Each structure stands twice: as structure tokens, then as C-alpha cells.
Amino acid sequence: METPDIATPIHARIVEGLERIATALKSDDWSRAQAAGVNPTQLSILRTLEGRNAGLSVKDLSFQLGVSQPTVTDSILALERKSLVEKRPDPADGRAVRVVITDTGRAAVQAGDAATGTVGQAAAALDDEDQELLLVQLVSLIRQLQEQGAIPIQRMCVSCRYFRPYAHDDAARPHHCNFVDAAFGQQDLRIDCRDHETADPSVRAATWATFQKGRPLHPPGN
Ligand code: SF4
């Protein structure tokens, strides 16, 4: 038996764990894409365009998804043929186009989302406290990747100009969203919110500091 003395560092074992989850997610991606009638890359494009009413350029899509522009271009052609997206002139640049999701495309995303994957089922099987803890840890990890420049800014509460962490003296709903002017709890933190607007870097840093400072050292109930 491998003893703890010679175990790999904890960060390496976290990566090992994430790799196992990534394997299951890949399989889930295919199931969801099948339900939507597209392939996983095409579904990622549709999901990225959903909620972005002005659409995105091929370059922006490529940046958001971390795939090459030729791959995005090919996928968009296939999605156009299925009437799931359309190209519109960019109002800011007459020679450029923006890719916009259609109503049919939105319906395809919903069909994909309805297919709960194995990872979603496993997450749902955790108790409420563990789900909340995991959500906050994922937010921290994703933010760290953003800070390293490994991924673009995601539409998370912690980077949103409407987010006011720990604005309320209420353990169940300590945060405030200025967009909907409502208090909400840790379990409602968003990873991909369509109403997100990126805050300035100095505001993001201050928001994160407040969020970290206010976080309980232990999850509720422990
Ligand atoms: S608009 Fe969305 S991302 Fe921004 S604070 Fe509100 S819920 Fe969070």
C-alpha cells in the first residue's frame, strides 16, 4: 500500500480528481449534444451565445471557448445550416459580422440541458452543505485560472459589477445583486449569469477581498 509519506502533493491529487471528473463530463457532453442534435463543440458555441443578445464575433467565440478560429468557423457554418445561429452585420464595424443564436438554437440548448448528466446527478446526490462548499471552491479555482490568464473572465458573481458580497447581516442570504436588487445566499452564487457585467479590475479585486474576508471558516453546521 502506498503510504501517506510518499503521496503526491495535494494540488497534484486535486488535479487527478478533476481529471476523473473531466472524463465523466466528456461523456455527459456527448449525451447533451446528442439531445440537442449537434456535437459538443457546436453545443458549447450555442451555450456561449445564449444570453448574449448582441452576439459574438468568431474571434470572441474562439477566445471564450479556447478553440481555434478555423474550428469555430466550421462549427458556425454547420450551425447556420441547421438554422441554430445567424450572422448579422456588426453595428460597430461594417466589415465585421457577429454570430447570434436563433430561437431554434435556444430550444436546442434547452433540449441539451434537460439531459442531466452523470456528473450533475452525482453533485445533486451530495448534501446541501457539501454542494454549497463545492460551489464556492469551484468559484475560487475558476477565478484563480482567470487571474493566471488561462481562461477569459467568466460570467460569475465574483467578477460582476452588480455583486455586493456580505452586504447583509443575514447568514442565509448575505449577498446582494444590484441587478435584481435582491439578497441571495452562498448557494445561489452564479458561475454563468446572463446578466453579468464585468467589473473594473480594481473593483473585482476589492469585491474578491470582501468575499474572502466574509467567508465562514467552516461550512454552516460544522
Ligand atoms: S447580475 Fe448575475 S452575476 Fe451579477 S451579481 Fe447578479 S446574479 Fe451575480
Side-chain angles (χ1 to χ4, degrees):
M1 179 184 146
E2 187 181 352
T3 70
D5 288 349
I6 56 169
T8 49
I10 186 165
H11 67 268
R13 279 173 283 132
I14 289 170
V15 172
E16 285 172 356
L18 291 172
E19 281 170 355
R20 303 300 179 275
I21 295 168
T23 303
L25 278 173
K26 242 179 238 167
S27 158
D28 287 352
D29 278 352
W30 274 106
S31 306
R32 260 194 287 272
Q34 209 169 20
V38 294
N39 69 30
T41 303
Q42 292 165 5
L43 183 57
S44 296
I45 289 173
L46 292 176
R47 291 174 68 97
T48 305
L49 291 173
E50 209 208 0
R52 290 180 161 103
N53 294 338
L56 288 173
S57 67
V58 169
K59 192 174 160 197
D60 288 341
L61 274 166
S62 163
F63 180 61
Q64 284 289 335
L65 296 171
V67 295
S68 70
Q69 289 193 38
T71 300
V72 171
T73 301
D74 288 349
S75 297
I76 287 168
L77 286 174
L79 290 169
E80 253 188 315
R81 281 195 293 273
K82 294 174 186 169
S83 304
L84 300 175
V85 300
E86 60 188 27
K87 291 189 192 129
R88 292 186 193 156
D90 187 334
D93 178 354
R95 289 169 307 169
V97 292
R98 298 181 77 83
V99 184
V100 180
I101 190 168
T102 63
D103 287 344
T104 316
R106 278 188 205 94
V109 171
Q110 280 173 10
D113 285 348
T116 312
T118 54
V119 177
Q121 285 169 9
L126 300 176
D127 67 33
D128 291 350
E129 284 174 18
D130 281 349
Q131 287 191 44
E132 182 180 313
L133 194 61
L134 183 56
L135 177 65
V136 175
Q137 300 304 334
L138 285 172
V139 166
S140 298
L141 189 57
I142 293 167
R143 180 190 166 274
Q144 194 59 40
L145 286 166
Q146 288 175 177
E147 292 301 304
Q148 289 172 208
I151 58 172
I153 298 280
Q154 304 297 304
R155 300 190 292 183
M156 301 197 296
C157 290
V158 293
S159 60
C160 179
R161 76 184 186 90
Y162 297 116
F163 185 48
R164 298 290 173 270
Y166 296 100
H168 302 284
D169 193 16
D170 175 352
R173 296 192 305 163
H175 308 310
H176 196 86
C177 170
N178 278 353
F179 184 81
V180 291
D181 193 19
F184 66 100
Q186 204 74 323
Q187 73 281 4
D188 291 317
L189 286 168
R190 300 290 196 272
I191 299 271
D192 187 23
C193 174
R194 63 172 54 202
D195 301 318
H196 173 276
E197 283 185 35
T198 305
D200 292 336
S202 60
V203 175
R204 287 206 305 274
T207 299
W208 181 251
T210 307
F211 181 70
Q212 284 288 73
K213 205 170 153 195
R215 265 171 69 181
L217 290 176
H218 302 288
N222 282 9

